[in-house]
Amino acid sequence: MSLNATSSSPRRLSLLDKLISNADQALRTLVPGAASEHRPSPAQQRPHAELNDEEKRHAAGLMRINHTGEVCAQALYQGQALTAKLPEVRDAMEEAAREEVDHLVWCEKRIHELGSHTSRLNPLFYGLSFGIGAVAGKISDKVSLGFVAATEEQVCRHLSAHMTSLPTQDEKSKAVLLQMLEDEAKHATTALDAGGARFPLPVKLAMTGLSKVMTKTTYRI
Ligand SMILES: [Fe+2]
Ligand SMILES: [Fe+2]
């Protein structure tokens, strides 16, 4: 196959551009320290508190789950952007994707402050979520947006549970989760308002099953 300039080359180059851009985004998401935040971390304004080793391990495990959730969000938006049309909500989706980058960076910083590392399974979950996002976008914008809404609702449930599970004095992690909770709820509403499908219970249950696999593994690995 030749990439020489022909009448069909603009389409090929456009595909190549998309692939390069996606590879770049994947690396920014997966390589520690490669992404930059647009808003400062809410943790900065909260006081430092002493945590014992067990509390640190637990808080880092929860923040690792949330970080992987953000890795999945990046991949989902990228996969969706590749195939979905979304003419009316592209700006809103791009703003949501920017906020997800903030979440990713805040979680990663907090994990490092707690003396731990991000999940080694992130490339696997990135690939999986990218594929789901691309397939959903290919089916229709309604399904694609519905998937965003259902995912965000799931994330909100995790965040709320983690808020109560974190060590009481870990105000820094809680401040990060609180802002994320506000943003994710807004993303879910945006996706539904833009015409996202409300998924039936069996689909939601399948998503819950998948998210359980993610949370159980990334808490430790
Ligand atoms: Fe997020
Ligand atoms: Fe979100």
Side-chain angles (χ1 to χ4, degrees):
M1 290 214 291
S2 161
L3 284 176
N4 288 343
T6 66
S7 58
S8 63
S9 61
R11 188 179 170 82
R12 284 194 184 196
L13 285 177
S14 153
L15 177 64
L16 187 64
D17 283 346
K18 279 184 183 174
L19 289 174
I20 291 170
S21 156
N22 274 295
D24 177 63
Q25 189 62 35
L27 286 173
R28 278 176 206 274
T29 305
L30 293 170
V31 175
S36 322
E37 64 203 357
H38 302 89
R39 297 169 289 173
S41 171
Q44 279 181 15
Q45 292 157 0
R46 309 307 302 168
H48 171 78
E50 284 304 325
L51 302 173
N52 64 34
D53 287 351
E54 174 54 26
E55 287 169 335
K56 270 191 189 170
R57 189 196 58 75
H58 179 56
L62 296 180
M63 295 309 281
R64 187 156 46 243
I65 292 172
N66 294 317
H67 178 265
T68 301
E70 296 306 322
V71 167
C72 292
Q74 288 299 314
L76 189 65
Y77 280 109
Q78 286 300 309
Q80 181 191 56
L82 194 66
T83 54
K85 297 173 197 76
L86 303 171
E88 271 115 48
V89 284
R90 190 161 286 278
D91 286 351
M93 285 293 126
E94 280 172 7
E95 190 189 332
R98 264 195 304 279
E99 289 179 350
E100 306 295 6
V101 176
D102 286 346
H103 302 166
L104 183 86
V105 176
W106 299 344
C107 286
E108 185 183 321
K109 280 187 177 168
R110 189 62 195 138
I111 291 167
H112 291 155
E113 283 168 7
L114 291 162
S116 194
H117 59 83
T118 55
S119 175
R120 312 207 195 288
L121 301 173
N122 282 344
L124 177 74
F125 286 111
Y126 188 97
L128 202 61
S129 302
F130 185 92
I132 291 172
V135 169
K138 191 82 183 161
I139 296 171
S140 72
D141 284 3
K142 193 174 165 66
V143 167
S144 175
L145 289 166
F147 204 82
V148 169
T151 305
E152 298 287 12
E153 284 165 5
Q154 185 104 55
V155 171
C156 285
R157 281 194 288 277
H158 282 164
L159 292 171
S160 301
H162 291 180
M163 289 285 286
T164 52
S165 182
L166 278 167
T168 320
Q169 70 275 35
D170 188 1
E171 289 188 34
K172 283 184 178 287
S173 299
K174 285 184 192 173
V176 169
L177 298 196
L178 198 62
Q179 185 59 54
M180 283 169 62
L181 194 54
E182 190 181 307
D183 294 344
E184 313 300 15
K186 186 178 67 186
H187 300 163
T189 308
T190 303
L192 287 175
D193 288 352
R198 285 195 181 272
F199 284 0
L201 190 61
V203 177
K204 286 194 173 175
L205 287 177
M207 288 176 68
T208 304
L210 192 64
S211 97
K212 275 202 176 123
V213 172
M214 187 274 264
T215 54
K216 288 256 186 287
T217 51
T218 56
Y219 180 73
R220 294 180 194 287
I221 308 173

